[in-house]
Amino acid sequence: LISNDAISISFLKGTGGAVLPGYERIGFLDDEQNISVWKDENDRYIVMNGGVIYAPESCAELFYEYENLTSINFDNFNTDFVTDMNSMFEDCKALLSLDLHSFNTSSVTNMSTMFKNCMNLAGSLNLRSFNTSSVMYMSYMFDYCQSLQYLYLSDKFTVDIVTNAFFGPGTAPLTRIKLLSASILTISRF
């Protein structure tokens, strides 16, 4: 329903009968017609529900190859039951930033290539809410993220599997990871 030509996607709380100026309702994501999808003429999408929008158990490739996507608003997007985030944002080449502070990843087992090829994801990425204690697969998680400089992590981000996460064919030998403290990783170029 949401085209991979989308420029932005926002998950918001609102009533199904809402009228959004400049947007046209193009359908629903659920059979009960509670989660409505709206689109404007510039390929900006709003996904709206009166209650919480629960992410599917598998978010694998959810935004895969959304190459024009510059922003995603997760204000009303609950990840409590998600177990797979493999390639969730892979090839979102135009994505400039992500606010994932509300993500609950305690049940996620696969984060491989989650941000791979997000080449314009710049500055810092706050992953302090990420709990990777259940994660078994995290290879190439940040491969080809050339603009990413800082990661903010909590002590629930398992650091013993970080090597494969950062050093893939698109990062090594251009990137070096240095652990500055328990909560900040810096990516240094040489």
Side-chain angles (χ1 to χ4, degrees):
L1 198 57
I2 298 176
S3 165
N4 64 354
D5 289 329
I7 300 296
S8 70
I9 301 171
S10 296
F11 295 90
L12 304 176
K13 189 171 186 172
T15 62
V19 175
L20 301 173
Y23 285 83
E24 175 187 353
R25 183 167 47 207
I26 60 169
F28 296 91
L29 290 182
D30 61 335
D31 293 334
E32 295 80 23
Q33 298 188 350
N34 292 321
I35 304 173
S36 57
V37 179
W38 300 74
K39 178 186 178 223
D40 76 359
E41 61 186 30
N42 297 313
D43 288 325
R44 293 182 300 206
Y45 290 81
I46 294 177
V47 180
M48 191 178 296
N49 186 15
V52 175
I53 298 172
Y54 286 94
E57 186 176 333
S58 175
C59 283
E61 300 183 359
L62 188 62
F63 303 103
Y64 178 69
E65 291 185 342
Y66 278 61
E67 294 184 5
N68 299 318
L69 191 61
T70 59
S71 66
I72 307 171
N73 176 340
F74 289 110
D75 280 356
N76 191 29
F77 190 80
N78 185 303
T79 60
D80 288 357
F81 304 107
V82 176
T83 60
D84 191 352
M85 291 185 173
N86 177 43
S87 301
M88 185 172 180
F89 303 103
E90 184 176 350
D91 286 331
C92 289
K93 296 175 183 179
L95 199 57
L96 300 172
S97 64
L98 277 172
D99 181 355
L100 305 176
H101 79 276
S102 63
F103 272 36
N104 175 357
T105 62
S106 60
S107 299
V108 177
T109 59
N110 190 350
M111 290 185 178
S112 294
T113 65
M114 184 172 178
F115 303 101
K116 182 179 179 179
N117 214 12
C118 290
M119 57 183 55
N120 286 307
L121 193 57
S124 63
L125 186 59
N126 183 349
L127 302 180
R128 285 186 180 128
S129 67
F130 277 38
N131 176 343
T132 62
S133 60
S134 298
V135 175
M136 295 182 287
Y137 307 102
M138 195 185 264
S139 61
Y140 309 125
M141 187 171 175
F142 300 99
D143 202 19
Y144 293 101
C145 291
Q146 293 102 329
S147 299
L148 193 59
Q149 295 175 328
Y150 300 99
L151 289 175
Y152 296 93
L153 308 171
S154 77
D155 57 357
K156 293 180 181 170
F157 194 101
T158 309
V159 179
D160 60 340
I161 55 176
V162 152
T163 305
N164 285 336
F166 295 93
F167 294 108
T171 52
L174 300 174
T175 306
R176 180 182 344 147
I177 309 302
K178 190 186 337 177
L179 185 61
L180 295 181
S181 71
S183 61
I184 302 174
L185 284 180
T186 291
I187 302 173
S188 306
R189 311 255 183 256
F190 53 82

